Amino acid sequence: MSCLRCGNLMIWINGSISHRHDINYYECKHCNIKVVKYPDDQVFEVEEDQNT
Protein backbone atom coordinates (compact mmCIF):
# COMPACT_ATOMS: atom_id res chain seq x y z
CA MET A 1 0.00 0.00 0.00
CA SER A 2 1.23 3.51 -0.79
CA CYS A 3 1.45 6.23 1.86
CA LEU A 4 -1.47 8.65 1.94
CA ARG A 5 0.91 11.63 2.23
CA CYS A 6 4.15 10.94 0.36
CA GLY A 7 3.29 7.97 -1.87
CA ASN A 8 6.15 5.78 -0.60
CA LEU A 9 5.52 2.08 -0.04
CA MET A 10 4.29 1.48 3.50
CA ILE A 11 5.37 -1.38 5.78
CA TRP A 12 2.70 -3.98 6.58
CA ILE A 13 2.99 -4.43 10.35
CA ASN A 14 0.37 -7.05 11.28
CA GLY A 15 1.66 -10.26 9.77
CA SER A 16 3.26 -12.01 6.88
CA ILE A 17 1.87 -12.25 3.38
CA SER A 18 0.98 -15.90 4.00
CA HIS A 19 -1.58 -14.98 6.70
CA ARG A 20 -4.90 -13.45 5.71
CA HIS A 21 -6.18 -10.64 7.91
CA ASP A 22 -9.40 -8.70 7.46
CA ILE A 23 -7.96 -5.53 8.99
CA ASN A 24 -4.47 -4.51 7.88
CA TYR A 25 -2.11 -2.14 9.67
CA TYR A 26 0.57 -0.18 7.78
CA GLU A 27 3.34 2.21 8.74
CA CYS A 28 5.24 4.80 6.69
CA LYS A 29 8.82 5.26 7.88
CA HIS A 30 9.18 8.47 5.83
CA CYS A 31 6.14 10.33 7.25
CA ASN A 32 6.03 8.48 10.60
CA ILE A 33 2.32 7.72 10.32
CA LYS A 34 0.33 4.55 10.85
CA VAL A 35 -2.87 3.68 9.00
CA VAL A 36 -5.56 1.00 9.23
CA LYS A 37 -7.16 -0.51 6.11
CA TYR A 38 -10.52 -2.23 6.58
CA PRO A 39 -12.00 -4.97 4.34
CA ASP A 40 -14.31 -2.47 2.59
CA ASP A 41 -11.19 -0.51 1.45
CA GLN A 42 -11.70 2.31 3.96
CA VAL A 43 -8.35 3.68 5.11
CA PHE A 44 -7.86 5.70 8.31
CA GLU A 45 -4.79 7.42 9.70
CA VAL A 46 -4.61 6.33 13.33
CA GLU A 47 -1.39 7.70 14.72
CA GLU A 48 1.22 10.31 13.92
CA ASP A 49 4.66 10.74 15.47
CA GLN A 50 5.00 14.34 16.68
CA ASN A 51 8.80 14.13 17.19
CA THR A 52 9.66 15.33 13.67
Side-chain angles (χ1 to χ4, degrees), residues 4-51:
L4 305 174
R5 294 185 181 179
C6 69
N8 285 344
L9 189 62
M10 299 183 79
I11 298 170
W12 185 27
I13 58 174
N14 69 317
S16 71
I17 201 159
S18 64
H19 295 94
R20 176 160 160 66
H21 297 280
D22 290 338
I23 300 173
N24 293 308
Y25 300 91
Y26 296 90
E27 180 177 12
C28 178
K29 293 294 187 179
H30 183 262
C31 295
N32 294 316
I33 63 169
K34 294 181 182 177
V35 299
V36 177
K37 183 176 180 186
Y38 292 96
D40 59 358
D41 289 332
Q42 289 185 1
V43 178
F44 296 100
E45 184 176 324
V46 293
E47 186 176 320
E48 182 174 353
D49 187 2
Q50 297 294 330
N51 294 336

